[in-house]
Structures are given as C-alpha cells and as structure tokens.
Amino acid sequence: MIGRLPSRDTIAAEMTEASPLDMGANPEPASADAQEFRASLEGTCISTQTYLANDYLNNFNEVVMLLEMVPDMPDVLEDLKEWTPVTYRQHFEASGLSENQLAIEAYERAPERFRRPFDGTVEQMKRVIASSVDRVEKALAAGETDQLKAIAVGASQVVGKLIDVAGAIVHGSEATHDQGEIDSLLGD
C-alpha cells in the first residue's frame, strides 16, 4: 500500500483544535463602524455574518475534480502536481471580482469564531491534497491502478467534505463535530 491519509485520530485532533467546535459565543454589540461595514457587504458574495466568501473554495473544488479524473486519465496527475494553494488574499487579488478588495478587507475583519475554524479547515485541505498527490504519483509510478483509484477517490471525498465544512462556516454554521461526523469524513 502506498502511503495513507492522516489517521482518524490525527484528523480528530486537528478538527478539535481548528474547527467550529467553540464558535457559539454570542457576538459583542457592533460599533457604528462595524454596522456600516456590515451594511457595505449587503448584496455581495461576502457573508454579512462571517465576513467570509465562498468564492475562495473554488480553488479546492478544482482539485476535487482533478482527483476524480486521475484514475481514468493519469495524465491529469501533471495538473494536480502543478496546483498550488493560494491564500485568501491571493485568490481575491487575482479574481477580477468587482468586490475583491472588499472581500480581502472583510476577511481581515472576520470574527475569530469564524475565521479561526475556516483557516484551520483550509489548512487541513491543503495537507490532505499534498499528501494525496504524492501518494497518487507513487501508486501510478508503481503501476498500482487499484491503489491509485482508492487514493484518488478517498482523497476527493475527504477534500469534498472539508469544502462542505468550510462552506458551512462561511454561511455562519456554528455546528459542532462529534467523533461520528469526523469518522464519516474518513469513510469509517
């Protein structure tokens, strides 16, 4: 077997440290400046609650698509290897969206109870992707097509679930993750 995804215990520990486990605190009353800024987000792709935007997650949707394709089209591995994660700021600076600067400012002002678990989930996705690309490359080089498919499918599912978690945070989710939910991320 060529490598493994992080263990259930590793993911559980990381999810506990960097997930929406303790996001339920009531926000402080907003200052006039905060109310004005929140109003400036109305009608944009940026959440007025979390100050985050779903558009950033498109970077990771691209990787899920490539992982799903690689078992049937091994040459897609080159595209996977060339994929480089970008920061939230880098994404919006390059996006061409009319509200890109507003998205960057909003991210910088995002409440910690949303930004911390969002950033933690993004970091988890980056680690799963990096590990998976390496493992896919090794399985392909070894001619282990069944292993290649298992790695690619498993990784695309885990990253997809993490995208869902990050998307839920963008939309203000304050749900907790119990061990059963973490196990389901890993297909256990």
Side-chain angles (χ1 to χ4, degrees):
M1 183 150 141
I2 307 283
R4 306 184 109 188
L5 288 175
S7 72
R8 178 181 338 138
D9 294 335
T10 301
I11 294 285
E14 290 173 356
M15 293 289 285
T16 300
E17 292 173 7
S19 72
L21 286 173
D22 188 24
M23 297 187 333
N26 290 328
E28 295 294 321
S31 67
D33 178 54
Q35 290 174 352
E36 184 178 319
F37 185 74
R38 182 174 288 119
S40 74
L41 303 178
E42 292 288 339
T44 70
C45 68
I46 306 160
S47 168
T48 57
Q49 179 182 7
T50 66
Y51 292 13
L52 301 170
N54 240 6
D55 191 75
Y56 175 66
L57 301 176
N58 289 337
N59 294 297
F60 301 98
N61 284 319
E62 175 186 351
V63 173
V64 169
M65 180 186 69
L66 292 171
L67 283 165
E68 291 170 345
M69 293 170 58
V70 79
D72 297 321
M73 300 171 56
D75 56 318
V76 171
L77 176 61
E78 292 308 313
D79 293 326
L80 267 173
K81 288 169 50 178
E82 290 175 9
W83 181 84
T84 304
V86 295
T87 66
Y88 196 92
R89 173 181 282 282
Q90 289 168 331
H91 169 76
F92 282 102
E93 286 175 342
S95 75
L97 293 174
S98 60
E99 59 235 7
N100 61 357
Q101 290 305 312
L102 184 60
I104 292 166
E105 182 181 355
Y107 173 78
E108 291 169 356
R109 295 173 81 166
E112 272 299 304
R113 73 179 215 259
F114 297 113
R115 184 169 166 181
R116 188 177 59 82
F118 179 81
D119 288 346
T121 303
V122 166
E123 288 307 311
Q124 288 174 327
M125 284 190 282
K126 291 175 183 178
R127 284 192 300 273
V128 169
I129 291 166
S131 169
S132 299
V133 169
D134 183 55
R135 292 174 49 240
V136 163
E137 184 174 30
K138 289 177 181 174
L140 184 61
E144 297 180 13
T145 56
D146 289 343
Q147 184 68 19
L148 166 68
K149 185 173 184 172
I151 294 166
V153 168
S156 69
Q157 290 172 348
V158 170
V159 174
K161 294 292 185 184
L162 290 170
I163 290 169
D164 291 345
V165 170
I169 295 166
V170 167
H171 295 290
S173 173
E174 295 189 23
T176 61
H177 286 71
D178 64 22
Q179 188 60 49
E181 291 169 319
I182 294 168
D183 289 347
S184 73
L185 279 175
L186 299 171
D188 291 344

